[in-house]
Each structure stands twice: as structure tokens, then as C-alpha cells.
Amino acid sequence: MPRPVLLVIAHGSRDPRHAATVHALVRRVRALRPGVRVETGFLDFNVPSVSGVLESLAAEGVRDVVALPLLLTRAFHAKSDIPAVLSEAPARLRIRQAEVLGPSPLLTAALERRLYEAGLSPADKSSTGVVLASAGSTDPEAIAVIAEIAREWRRTGWCAVRPAFASASLPRTGDAVRELRALGCARVAVAPYVLAPGFLPDRIARGAAEADVLADVLGASPEVARVLLHRYDAARTPALTAIGA
């Protein structure tokens, strides 16, 4: 029996860096799991659209699809937009919607590696405060998840970790940077909890102007690719638990 097609669903953006990062991530996923067909669809701004990919797959005779939201939290897009698009797919397709990527210890590991790539070292942890900067959401569940990630990450040895948001919620990145300074952290780093460059990540970067270190976005990191495959495996074989997810 053929494995389900993995359809990665990205938000889309007018910023060309967004689609380029999504495609780079998908290439990494394909390299990790060459036996799985991986397609990409966008909700807005970019092509191909999710509906267009689904129609093409149905026309080819594909039956099973795992639709994976390229999202870090279960907010509006995961709860409303994506189910609405999937509900209009051709009837011959059997579609299972996978869970969003976060939270996951692998994503926290990716955040930490990005900070080290930006100039920190493990020896700096106890004297460094970190701003966990996400895009933001009006969904209380999504905000609570970011706050919990910050609490858990603090327990691994950082001086302090504070959540911040580029939109919809407070505090903003700059305010969180100043709060960590006031706490007495010797240095302050900003870790963007976002997948790809774009308008809101650029706002996070501007808010990090007073920080000592600004990490890169998660991007096409190996950890993100592994989480993506864990979510795919869990969706196609619900009885199994994805190790490390």
C-alpha cells in the first residue's frame, strides 16, 4: 500500500524569502524520507494553492493525503482556515490533518542552536536572558503555549526566558529585552520562534535593536524537518507515538 502523500501547507507571504525558506525545508524533508512524496501548497500570496495541489493529486489518482500545517501553534489558521480548505477537496481524497509543529523539544533545540550560531556558547547560558519572540496571536491557547515553552526553556539553565510577540499580544520584543536588562542578565538574546523571514520576523528584528544577540529564524533546520516527519508519521499511523516529537 503506498504511503500517503505529505502535503505541507504554508501560510504564504508577499515576501519572497518566505516561499524560498518553505521550499528549502521541503527539500530537506524529501532528503530525510525519500520514500515519501512531499508536496507544498500555500494558503495565500504564493502558488501553488492548497486547493490546486489537492485537485492535481486527485486527478492523478492519489487517494491518501496527510495535510500538515506549517505552523508552530494551534491558532486560527490550524483551527479554521486549513480545515475549511480541506473540506472542499475532491471527494475521492482521504485527507488526515496532522498536528501543528509545536511545541516540541526538537524546536527548542533548534532555537538554542540558532542562538549558538549567532555567537553564544553553552557557557553563556546562566548569564544570558532570552526573549522567545513569536509572531503573536489573538488565540489564548496559542499564547499560553508560548508562555509554557518559555517557562520550560528557562529550566534548562538560562538566566531568564521571557515570551514576546510581534503582533496581537504583549509584550513586544523591545519591552521584553528591557525587562531582562532590568532583571540583571549580563546579556540579552532574542530567539525568533518563527519559521521563515517576513513582515513579522522583521518587526521582531527591529525590536531586538537593544539586545546583544539576535538569532536567525528556525528556517530549514534539520530539527524542524524531523518534527515535520514525526507529525506526518503520527497522522498516518495514529496508533503509533512519534518518538522525540
Side-chain angles (χ1 to χ4, degrees), residues 87-242:
S87 70
E88 298 175 355
R92 67 166 288 118
L93 293 176
R94 291 190 295 254
I95 302 175
R96 282 163 281 184
Q97 182 175 330
E99 291 296 329
V100 298
L101 300 183
S104 166
L106 283 169
L107 295 179
T108 307
L111 287 167
E112 202 149 301
R113 188 164 59 79
R114 290 297 192 218
L115 286 171
Y116 297 152
E117 290 170 351
L120 293 179
S121 74
D124 297 322
K125 289 184 75 167
S126 63
S127 59
T128 301
V130 178
V131 178
L132 179 67
S134 76
S137 174
T138 57
D139 189 304
E141 178 186 349
I143 298 304
V145 166
I146 299 300
E148 179 60 23
I149 293 170
R151 283 191 292 270
E152 291 295 322
W153 201 15
R154 163 67 182 84
R155 296 189 181 107
T156 67
W158 296 100
C159 174
V161 180
R162 292 289 185 272
F165 307 94
S167 67
S169 310
L170 296 173
R172 295 287 185 258
T173 303
D175 294 330
V177 169
R178 288 184 282 274
E179 179 187 352
L180 290 172
R181 292 266 188 233
L183 281 176
C185 297
R187 66 184 63 77
V188 177
V190 174
Y193 190 59
V194 292
L195 286 167
F199 176 75
L200 292 178
D202 284 349
R203 181 180 287 178
I204 289 171
R206 291 193 296 272
E210 297 178 29
D212 302 293
V213 173
L214 170 63
D216 199 359
V217 298
L218 293 171
S221 67
E223 296 91 346
V224 175
R226 287 170 59 198
V227 175
L228 201 151
L229 286 170
H230 288 326
R231 298 294 183 251
Y232 168 77
D233 289 338
R236 74 183 181 94
T237 53
L240 300 180
T241 301

Side-chain angles (χ1 to χ4, degrees), residues 10-20 22-23 40-50:
H11 182 274
S13 171
R14 292 187 178 90
D15 189 320
R17 297 174 297 168
H18 172 88
V22 171
H23 291 312
T40 308
F42 295 90
L43 291 174
D44 206 353
F45 302 117
N46 302 104
V47 293
S49 67
V50 176

Side-chain angles (χ1 to χ4, degrees), residues 12-103:
S13 171
R14 292 187 178 90
D15 189 320
R17 297 174 297 168
H18 172 88
T21 302
V22 171
H23 291 312
L25 176 60
V26 168
R27 286 194 297 272
R28 186 180 285 274
V29 171
R30 288 176 178 144
L32 287 173
R33 193 74 64 84
V36 173
R37 179 177 175 181
V38 187
E39 299 291 343
T40 308
F42 295 90
L43 291 174
D44 206 353
F45 302 117
N46 302 104
V47 293
S49 67
V50 176
S51 58
V53 174
L54 291 171
E55 289 169 7
S56 295
L57 291 173
E60 288 180 33
V62 170
R63 290 299 305 276
D64 292 296
V65 176
V66 169
L68 194 151
L70 200 60
L71 301 168
L72 295 172
T73 58
R74 270 183 48 79
F76 179 78
H77 294 302
K79 294 178 179 178
S80 181
D81 279 2
I82 291 175
V85 172
L86 297 180
S87 70
E88 298 175 355
R92 67 166 288 118
L93 293 176
R94 291 190 295 254
I95 302 175
R96 282 163 281 184
Q97 182 175 330
E99 291 296 329
V100 298
L101 300 183

